[in-house]
Amino acid sequence: MNTIEEFMDSLEKSIEELFGETHIKSGVIRSLPGNLGVTAANVIFEAAMEEGFNPENPYPVLHFHVTLAKDIEDSIVSKVLEGLNELNTTISAGSFPGFGCFGYYPPLRQVYLSYRMPINPDALDKDFDNVLYYLGTLYEQLDIFVDFVLFLCDDPEKISLKDYMNYLDSIADLNNMEERINELEKRFEELEKETKDV
Protein backbone atom coordinates (compact mmCIF):
# COMPACT_ATOMS: atom_id res chain seq x y z
CA MET A 1 0.00 0.00 0.00
CA ASN A 2 1.58 3.24 -1.13
CA THR A 3 -1.10 5.92 -0.85
CA ILE A 4 -3.92 7.00 1.44
CA GLU A 5 -6.30 6.37 -1.48
CA GLU A 6 -5.20 2.72 -1.65
CA PHE A 7 -5.50 2.52 2.13
CA MET A 8 -9.10 3.80 2.01
CA ASP A 9 -10.01 1.44 -0.86
CA SER A 10 -8.73 -1.51 1.17
CA LEU A 11 -10.57 -0.19 4.23
CA GLU A 12 -13.86 -0.03 2.34
CA LYS A 13 -13.46 -3.64 1.18
CA SER A 14 -12.68 -4.79 4.73
CA ILE A 15 -15.68 -2.93 6.16
CA GLU A 16 -17.91 -4.49 3.52
CA GLU A 17 -16.64 -7.98 4.39
CA LEU A 18 -17.25 -7.43 8.09
CA PHE A 19 -20.36 -5.23 8.23
CA GLY A 20 -22.05 -5.62 4.85
CA GLU A 21 -22.74 -3.30 1.95
CA THR A 22 -20.99 0.08 2.00
CA HIS A 23 -21.77 3.49 0.50
CA ILE A 24 -19.34 6.40 0.14
CA LYS A 25 -20.44 10.01 0.27
CA SER A 26 -18.12 13.01 0.63
CA GLY A 27 -15.25 10.69 1.56
CA VAL A 28 -17.20 8.96 4.37
CA ILE A 29 -17.56 5.17 4.17
CA ARG A 30 -20.91 4.11 5.63
CA SER A 31 -22.32 0.68 6.43
CA LEU A 32 -25.36 -0.54 8.35
CA PRO A 33 -24.34 -3.58 10.40
CA GLY A 34 -27.28 -5.46 11.82
CA ASN A 35 -28.26 -8.41 13.95
CA LEU A 36 -26.06 -7.27 16.87
CA GLY A 37 -26.63 -8.46 20.43
CA VAL A 38 -29.65 -10.37 21.65
CA THR A 39 -31.91 -7.54 20.45
CA ALA A 40 -30.66 -8.04 16.84
CA ALA A 41 -29.93 -4.31 16.71
CA ASN A 42 -28.91 -2.27 13.69
CA VAL A 43 -26.35 0.53 13.91
CA ILE A 44 -24.86 3.10 11.54
CA PHE A 45 -21.11 2.69 11.08
CA GLU A 46 -19.01 5.42 9.45
CA ALA A 47 -15.30 5.80 8.75
CA ALA A 48 -13.52 8.86 7.37
CA MET A 49 -9.97 10.14 7.07
CA GLU A 50 -9.47 13.52 8.71
CA GLU A 51 -6.59 15.94 8.48
CA GLY A 52 -4.00 15.70 11.23
CA PHE A 53 -4.58 17.60 14.46
CA ASN A 54 -1.20 19.33 14.33
CA PRO A 55 -0.07 21.22 11.18
CA GLU A 56 3.56 20.72 12.29
CA ASN A 57 3.09 16.93 12.34
CA PRO A 58 0.49 16.22 9.67
CA TYR A 59 -0.43 12.60 10.32
CA PRO A 60 -3.94 11.95 9.00
CA VAL A 61 -6.46 10.62 11.50
CA LEU A 62 -8.90 7.80 10.76
CA HIS A 63 -12.19 8.50 12.53
CA PHE A 64 -14.64 5.69 13.26
CA HIS A 65 -18.14 6.68 14.35
CA VAL A 66 -21.03 4.36 15.23
CA THR A 67 -24.55 5.67 15.86
CA LEU A 68 -26.23 3.28 18.31
CA ALA A 69 -29.48 4.99 19.31
CA LYS A 70 -31.43 8.08 18.31
CA ASP A 71 -34.36 10.23 19.42
CA ILE A 72 -33.41 9.99 23.09
CA GLU A 73 -36.13 11.53 25.28
CA ASP A 74 -35.02 14.77 26.95
CA SER A 75 -36.36 13.57 30.29
CA ILE A 76 -33.85 10.68 30.50
CA VAL A 77 -30.74 12.32 29.02
CA SER A 78 -29.06 12.85 32.41
CA LYS A 79 -29.54 9.16 33.33
CA VAL A 80 -28.32 8.09 29.87
CA LEU A 81 -25.19 10.21 30.36
CA GLU A 82 -24.57 8.57 33.76
CA GLY A 83 -24.91 5.12 32.19
CA LEU A 84 -22.58 6.00 29.30
CA ASN A 85 -20.00 7.35 31.74
CA GLU A 86 -20.11 4.05 33.66
CA LEU A 87 -19.80 2.14 30.40
CA ASN A 88 -16.78 4.21 29.33
CA THR A 89 -15.12 3.37 32.64
CA THR A 90 -15.83 -0.32 32.08
CA ILE A 91 -14.29 -0.42 28.61
CA SER A 92 -11.34 1.69 29.76
CA ALA A 93 -10.46 -0.21 32.93
CA GLY A 94 -12.91 -3.07 33.35
CA SER A 95 -13.08 -6.74 32.48
CA PHE A 96 -14.46 -6.10 28.98
CA PRO A 97 -11.90 -3.71 27.46
CA GLY A 98 -12.63 -1.85 24.26
CA PHE A 99 -11.62 1.08 22.13
CA GLY A 100 -13.22 4.49 21.86
CA CYS A 101 -15.71 6.40 23.89
CA PHE A 102 -19.50 6.30 24.13
CA GLY A 103 -21.16 9.69 24.04
CA TYR A 104 -24.35 11.66 23.49
CA TYR A 105 -24.78 14.24 20.71
CA PRO A 106 -27.54 16.68 21.76
CA PRO A 107 -28.38 18.32 18.38
CA LEU A 108 -29.44 14.94 16.93
CA ARG A 109 -30.33 13.31 20.29
CA GLN A 110 -28.08 10.35 19.43
CA VAL A 111 -25.86 7.97 21.37
CA TYR A 112 -22.65 7.07 19.58
CA LEU A 113 -19.32 5.27 19.92
CA SER A 114 -16.34 7.18 18.52
CA TYR A 115 -12.67 6.31 18.06
CA ARG A 116 -9.85 8.16 16.30
CA MET A 117 -6.64 6.52 15.16
CA PRO A 118 -3.59 8.38 13.77
CA ILE A 119 -2.26 6.91 10.52
CA ASN A 120 1.41 7.05 9.54
CA PRO A 121 1.60 7.69 5.75
CA ASP A 122 5.06 6.07 5.79
CA ALA A 123 3.80 2.82 7.37
CA LEU A 124 0.39 2.24 5.77
CA ASP A 125 0.62 -1.57 5.70
CA LYS A 126 1.46 -1.76 9.39
CA ASP A 127 -1.25 0.72 10.32
CA PHE A 128 -3.77 -1.19 8.19
CA ASP A 129 -3.08 -4.28 10.33
CA ASN A 130 -3.98 -2.16 13.38
CA VAL A 131 -7.18 -1.00 11.65
CA LEU A 132 -8.20 -4.60 10.92
CA TYR A 133 -7.57 -5.52 14.56
CA TYR A 134 -9.70 -2.57 15.67
CA LEU A 135 -12.57 -3.49 13.33
CA GLY A 136 -12.62 -7.04 14.70
CA THR A 137 -12.69 -5.85 18.30
CA LEU A 138 -15.30 -3.21 17.41
CA TYR A 139 -17.65 -5.86 16.08
CA GLU A 140 -17.30 -7.81 19.32
CA GLN A 141 -17.66 -4.65 21.43
CA LEU A 142 -20.87 -3.67 19.63
CA ASP A 143 -22.28 -7.20 19.87
CA ILE A 144 -21.67 -7.23 23.63
CA PHE A 145 -22.73 -3.69 24.59
CA VAL A 146 -25.38 -2.61 22.07
CA ASP A 147 -28.07 -4.27 24.20
CA PHE A 148 -27.10 -2.32 27.31
CA VAL A 149 -27.05 0.96 25.35
CA LEU A 150 -30.51 0.28 23.89
CA PHE A 151 -31.93 -0.71 27.30
CA LEU A 152 -30.38 2.45 28.78
CA CYS A 153 -31.90 4.68 26.09
CA ASP A 154 -35.31 3.04 26.39
CA ASP A 155 -35.51 3.00 30.20
CA PRO A 156 -32.42 3.86 32.28
CA GLU A 157 -33.98 2.06 35.26
CA LYS A 158 -34.46 -1.23 33.38
CA ILE A 159 -31.04 -2.71 34.18
CA SER A 160 -27.95 -1.27 35.82
CA LEU A 161 -24.53 -1.69 34.25
CA LYS A 162 -23.54 -3.79 37.28
CA ASP A 163 -26.42 -6.21 36.63
CA TYR A 164 -25.64 -6.25 32.92
CA MET A 165 -21.97 -7.04 33.63
CA ASN A 166 -23.05 -9.83 35.98
CA TYR A 167 -25.19 -11.16 33.12
CA LEU A 168 -22.15 -11.10 30.79
CA ASP A 169 -20.02 -12.84 33.42
CA SER A 170 -22.65 -15.58 33.77
CA ILE A 171 -22.53 -16.53 30.10
CA ALA A 172 -19.94 -19.16 29.37
CA ASP A 173 -20.09 -18.69 25.59
CA LEU A 174 -20.82 -15.21 24.26
CA ASN A 175 -21.32 -16.72 20.80
CA ASN A 176 -24.22 -18.91 21.98
CA MET A 177 -27.12 -16.56 21.22
CA GLU A 178 -29.79 -18.83 22.73
CA GLU A 179 -27.89 -18.92 26.03
CA ARG A 180 -27.48 -15.13 25.95
CA ILE A 181 -31.22 -14.56 25.36
CA ASN A 182 -32.33 -17.05 28.02
CA GLU A 183 -29.95 -15.63 30.62
CA LEU A 184 -31.01 -12.03 29.87
CA GLU A 185 -34.71 -12.89 30.17
CA LYS A 186 -33.98 -14.60 33.50
CA ARG A 187 -32.16 -11.47 34.75
CA PHE A 188 -35.10 -9.24 33.78
CA GLU A 189 -37.53 -11.54 35.62
CA GLU A 190 -35.34 -11.43 38.75
CA LEU A 191 -35.04 -7.63 38.60
CA GLU A 192 -38.81 -7.27 38.11
CA LYS A 193 -39.45 -9.53 41.11
CA GLU A 194 -36.99 -7.54 43.25
CA THR A 195 -38.72 -4.29 42.26
CA LYS A 196 -42.17 -5.68 43.17
CA ASP A 197 -40.91 -6.97 46.53
CA VAL A 198 -39.60 -3.53 47.54
Side-chain angles (χ1 to χ4, degrees), residues 58-88:
Y59 275 32
V61 175
L62 188 53
H63 184 188
F64 299 99
H65 186 89
V66 183
T67 303
L68 296 149
K70 59 182 186 172
D71 300 325
I72 310 304
E73 293 294 328
D74 291 340
S75 60
I76 64 169
V77 166
S78 64
K79 289 283 188 188
V80 168
L81 290 173
E82 284 177 29
L84 294 176
N85 186 48
E86 276 188 285
L87 187 52
N88 283 329

Side-chain angles (χ1 to χ4, degrees), residues 1-39:
M1 224 173 286
N2 297 314
T3 66
I4 293 291
E5 289 74 22
E6 290 175 358
F7 184 96
M8 293 303 286
D9 286 344
S10 296
L11 176 62
E12 184 198 1
K13 289 176 185 147
S14 297
I15 290 170
E16 193 155 345
E17 285 175 17
L18 186 61
F19 291 141
E21 186 178 355
T22 58
H23 301 281
I24 301 178
K25 185 175 180 183
S26 302
V28 177
I29 302 168
R30 176 179 282 185
S31 183
L32 304 172
N35 206 28
L36 295 165
V38 298
T39 56

Side-chain angles (χ1 to χ4, degrees), residues 33-53:
N35 206 28
L36 295 165
V38 298
T39 56
N42 298 311
V43 299
I44 301 168
F45 171 83
E46 296 168 305
M49 193 68 77
E50 301 174 343
E51 291 183 17
F53 297 149

